Amino acid sequence: MSEDATIEKTIVIDEQRQAVVGELMRNVYLWMTGGLALTGAIAWMVANSPDMLHLIYGSNAVLYGLLIAEVVFVVILSAAINKIRFLTAAILYVLYCALNGVTLSSIFLAYTTESIGQIFFVTAGAFAILATIGTVTNKDLSKLGTFLIMALGGLIIASIVGLVMGKPESIWMSVIGVIIFAGLTVYDAQKIRLLMMNEETVNEGNMKLALLGALSLYLDFINLLLRLLSLFGKRK
């Protein structure tokens, strides 16, 4: 094979791979956006249903059961992603987003609808910028990711201690949370892109990876939104 033919073949392969990466990344953001839309719709519906609110918040057992179920769905989806079918993974993702909508209905009780809308659009704008940075940057963010995950672990422990002691999350913890999830958005966006760059065709296996990537970015967005709400949201 001539040198020109080899170069031409390499270009074709690169173009095909870029097309695959592009399609997979579109699926990541479509699943993430769909999950956010489902969560928001269910949260609003539950917040406007007195019967649902009484069922959920009238019993600690129901509320804690829902929260535990959310954790179970995430663990199963993350741990068994390579063993389950794409349809099963998609159903678990949808169920998780729906359950999250039920528990997040509380924000409509705590903050004004106008305030939630404003903070949502601020979060969406910031998220878009951060995700774009993570997607286009060539700088290795693996060390930053490790640090942020450790910091997140510390934040979770501090939040649990505060919950047990009956102390609400402080302003400084919310600020730290914004910084952590902003950084994780950049890190996760890069990690997902690098993962997809190894794929040569679109198949069930990497579609499941795209779904898992959507879950990571979905969680980053939700947590960023909640921290910004706690800092700037107008309470009822």
mmCIF file of all heavy atoms in Angstrom, residues 51-70:
data_model
loop_
_atom_site.group_PDB
_atom_site.id
_atom_site.type_symbol
_atom_site.label_atom_id
_atom_site.label_comp_id
_atom_site.label_asym_id
_atom_site.label_seq_id
_atom_site.Cartn_x
_atom_site.Cartn_y
_atom_site.Cartn_z
ATOM 1 N N ASP A 51 -52.041 15.611 48.267
ATOM 2 C CA ASP A 51 -52.058 14.201 48.658
ATOM 3 C C ASP A 51 -50.666 13.578 48.565
ATOM 4 O O ASP A 51 -50.248 12.829 49.466
ATOM 5 C CB ASP A 51 -53.037 13.424 47.779
ATOM 6 C CG ASP A 51 -54.486 13.802 48.041
ATOM 7 O OD1 ASP A 51 -54.767 14.307 49.152
ATOM 8 O OD2 ASP A 51 -55.328 13.607 47.143
ATOM 9 N N MET A 52 -49.959 13.883 47.470
ATOM 10 C CA MET A 52 -48.601 13.352 47.303
ATOM 11 C C MET A 52 -47.663 13.922 48.360
ATOM 12 O O MET A 52 -46.827 13.201 48.920
ATOM 13 C CB MET A 52 -48.082 13.665 45.907
ATOM 14 C CG MET A 52 -48.724 12.857 44.793
ATOM 15 S SD MET A 52 -48.355 11.081 44.945
ATOM 16 C CE MET A 52 -46.574 11.081 44.704
ATOM 17 N N LEU A 53 -47.778 15.200 48.631
ATOM 18 C CA LEU A 53 -46.925 15.829 49.644
ATOM 19 C C LEU A 53 -47.162 15.213 51.018
ATOM 20 O O LEU A 53 -46.206 14.963 51.764
ATOM 21 C CB LEU A 53 -47.196 17.337 49.696
ATOM 22 C CG LEU A 53 -46.733 18.150 48.481
ATOM 23 C CD1 LEU A 53 -47.168 19.603 48.619
ATOM 24 C CD2 LEU A 53 -45.222 18.069 48.315
ATOM 25 N N HIS A 54 -48.425 14.962 51.329
ATOM 26 C CA HIS A 54 -48.736 14.341 52.624
ATOM 27 C C HIS A 54 -48.170 12.924 52.698
ATOM 28 O O HIS A 54 -47.636 12.510 53.735
ATOM 29 C CB HIS A 54 -50.250 14.303 52.840
ATOM 30 C CG HIS A 54 -50.654 13.639 54.114
ATOM 31 N ND1 HIS A 54 -50.451 14.214 55.358
ATOM 32 C CD2 HIS A 54 -51.218 12.410 54.347
ATOM 33 C CE1 HIS A 54 -50.889 13.385 56.292
ATOM 34 N NE2 HIS A 54 -51.351 12.290 55.719
ATOM 35 N N LEU A 55 -48.263 12.191 51.574
ATOM 36 C CA LEU A 55 -47.761 10.816 51.541
ATOM 37 C C LEU A 55 -46.254 10.779 51.740
ATOM 38 O O LEU A 55 -45.732 9.950 52.499
ATOM 39 C CB LEU A 55 -48.121 10.167 50.205
ATOM 40 C CG LEU A 55 -47.532 8.771 49.940
ATOM 41 C CD1 LEU A 55 -48.075 7.766 50.950
ATOM 42 C CD2 LEU A 55 -47.824 8.325 48.511
ATOM 43 N N ILE A 56 -45.539 11.694 51.079
ATOM 44 C CA ILE A 56 -44.077 11.674 51.104
ATOM 45 C C ILE A 56 -43.506 12.282 52.377
ATOM 46 O O ILE A 56 -42.651 11.680 53.037
ATOM 47 C CB ILE A 56 -43.514 12.426 49.878
ATOM 48 C CG1 ILE A 56 -43.941 11.728 48.589
ATOM 49 C CG2 ILE A 56 -41.991 12.522 49.942
ATOM 50 C CD1 ILE A 56 -43.768 12.565 47.349
ATOM 51 N N TYR A 57 -43.999 13.479 52.712
ATOM 52 C CA TYR A 57 -43.407 14.204 53.833
ATOM 53 C C TYR A 57 -44.156 14.007 55.149
ATOM 54 O O TYR A 57 -43.721 14.495 56.191
ATOM 55 C CB TYR A 57 -43.311 15.696 53.491
ATOM 56 C CG TYR A 57 -42.455 15.944 52.281
ATOM 57 C CD1 TYR A 57 -43.031 16.253 51.053
ATOM 58 C CD2 TYR A 57 -41.070 15.832 52.358
ATOM 59 C CE1 TYR A 57 -42.249 16.462 49.922
ATOM 60 C CE2 TYR A 57 -40.282 16.040 51.233
ATOM 61 C CZ TYR A 57 -40.878 16.346 50.018
ATOM 62 O OH TYR A 57 -40.092 16.542 48.911
ATOM 63 N N GLY A 58 -45.269 13.281 55.063
ATOM 64 C CA GLY A 58 -46.000 12.988 56.285
ATOM 65 C C GLY A 58 -45.440 11.796 57.033
ATOM 66 O O GLY A 58 -45.841 11.518 58.162
ATOM 67 N N SER A 59 -44.508 11.091 56.389
ATOM 68 C CA SER A 59 -43.907 9.911 57.024
ATOM 69 C C SER A 59 -42.419 9.868 56.700
ATOM 70 O O SER A 59 -42.030 9.852 55.521
ATOM 71 C CB SER A 59 -44.584 8.631 56.524
ATOM 72 O OG SER A 59 -43.870 7.485 56.928
ATOM 73 N N ASN A 60 -41.593 9.842 57.719
ATOM 74 C CA ASN A 60 -40.149 9.748 57.508
ATOM 75 C C ASN A 60 -39.775 8.440 56.816
ATOM 76 O O ASN A 60 -38.821 8.393 56.043
ATOM 77 C CB ASN A 60 -39.412 9.843 58.841
ATOM 78 C CG ASN A 60 -39.413 11.250 59.401
ATOM 79 O OD1 ASN A 60 -39.531 12.220 58.654
ATOM 80 N ND2 ASN A 60 -39.284 11.383 60.716
ATOM 81 N N ALA A 61 -40.557 7.398 57.088
ATOM 82 C CA ALA A 61 -40.261 6.091 56.496
ATOM 83 C C ALA A 61 -40.371 6.149 54.974
ATOM 84 O O ALA A 61 -39.530 5.599 54.252
ATOM 85 C CB ALA A 61 -41.209 5.031 57.055
ATOM 86 N N VAL A 62 -41.397 6.828 54.469
ATOM 87 C CA VAL A 62 -41.580 6.940 53.021
ATOM 88 C C VAL A 62 -40.461 7.767 52.409
ATOM 89 O O VAL A 62 -39.867 7.390 51.384
ATOM 90 C CB VAL A 62 -42.948 7.581 52.684
ATOM 91 C CG1 VAL A 62 -43.064 7.845 51.184
ATOM 92 C CG2 VAL A 62 -44.074 6.674 53.152
ATOM 93 N N LEU A 63 -40.161 8.914 53.022
ATOM 94 C CA LEU A 63 -39.119 9.793 52.490
ATOM 95 C C LEU A 63 -37.758 9.096 52.481
ATOM 96 O O LEU A 63 -37.055 9.111 51.466
ATOM 97 C CB LEU A 63 -39.045 11.076 53.314
ATOM 98 C CG LEU A 63 -37.980 12.092 52.873
ATOM 99 C CD1 LEU A 63 -38.212 12.522 51.430
ATOM 100 C CD2 LEU A 63 -37.988 13.299 53.808
ATOM 101 N N TYR A 64 -37.388 8.475 53.594
ATOM 102 C CA TYR A 64 -36.100 7.783 53.659
ATOM 103 C C TYR A 64 -36.076 6.582 52.721
ATOM 104 O O TYR A 64 -35.033 6.249 52.149
ATOM 105 C CB TYR A 64 -35.796 7.341 55.099
ATOM 106 C CG TYR A 64 -35.449 8.496 56.014
ATOM 107 C CD1 TYR A 64 -35.964 8.570 57.307
ATOM 108 C CD2 TYR A 64 -34.620 9.524 55.580
ATOM 109 C CE1 TYR A 64 -35.658 9.637 58.148
ATOM 110 C CE2 TYR A 64 -34.299 10.588 56.413
ATOM 111 C CZ TYR A 64 -34.826 10.642 57.687
ATOM 112 O OH TYR A 64 -34.515 11.687 58.503
ATOM 113 N N GLY A 65 -37.236 5.934 52.553
ATOM 114 C CA GLY A 65 -37.311 4.821 51.613
ATOM 115 C C GLY A 65 -37.020 5.270 50.186
ATOM 116 O O GLY A 65 -36.317 4.589 49.434
ATOM 117 N N LEU A 66 -37.558 6.430 49.812
ATOM 118 C CA LEU A 66 -37.311 6.984 48.478
ATOM 119 C C LEU A 66 -35.838 7.340 48.299
ATOM 120 O O LEU A 66 -35.237 7.080 47.244
ATOM 121 C CB LEU A 66 -38.179 8.223 48.251
ATOM 122 C CG LEU A 66 -39.685 7.984 48.098
ATOM 123 C CD1 LEU A 66 -40.436 9.301 48.108
ATOM 124 C CD2 LEU A 66 -39.970 7.228 46.808
ATOM 125 N N LEU A 67 -35.248 7.944 49.318
ATOM 126 C CA LEU A 67 -33.836 8.333 49.244
ATOM 127 C C LEU A 67 -32.934 7.104 49.119
ATOM 128 O O LEU A 67 -31.970 7.096 48.341
ATOM 129 C CB LEU A 67 -33.448 9.146 50.485
ATOM 130 C CG LEU A 67 -34.121 10.519 50.613
ATOM 131 C CD1 LEU A 67 -33.799 11.148 51.962
ATOM 132 C CD2 LEU A 67 -33.676 11.440 49.481
ATOM 133 N N ILE A 68 -33.261 6.062 49.877
ATOM 134 C CA ILE A 68 -32.481 4.824 49.798
ATOM 135 C C ILE A 68 -32.644 4.182 48.422
ATOM 136 O O ILE A 68 -31.680 3.687 47.830
ATOM 137 C CB ILE A 68 -32.915 3.841 50.908
ATOM 138 C CG1 ILE A 68 -32.507 4.386 52.278
ATOM 139 C CG2 ILE A 68 -32.290 2.455 50.685
ATOM 140 C CD1 ILE A 68 -33.068 3.591 53.446
ATOM 141 N N ALA A 69 -33.858 4.211 47.895
ATOM 142 C CA ALA A 69 -34.117 3.651 46.564
ATOM 143 C C ALA A 69 -33.296 4.367 45.500
ATOM 144 O O ALA A 69 -32.767 3.738 44.570
ATOM 145 C CB ALA A 69 -35.610 3.748 46.241
ATOM 146 N N GLU A 70 -33.147 5.680 45.625
ATOM 147 C CA GLU A 70 -32.332 6.439 44.678
ATOM 148 C C GLU A 70 -30.884 5.948 44.694
ATOM 149 O O GLU A 70 -30.278 5.741 43.638
ATOM 150 C CB GLU A 70 -32.372 7.925 45.021
ATOM 151 C CG GLU A 70 -33.680 8.610 44.706
ATOM 152 C CD GLU A 70 -33.615 10.095 44.976
ATOM 153 O OE1 GLU A 70 -32.541 10.684 44.793
ATOM 154 O OE2 GLU A 70 -34.637 10.680 45.371
#
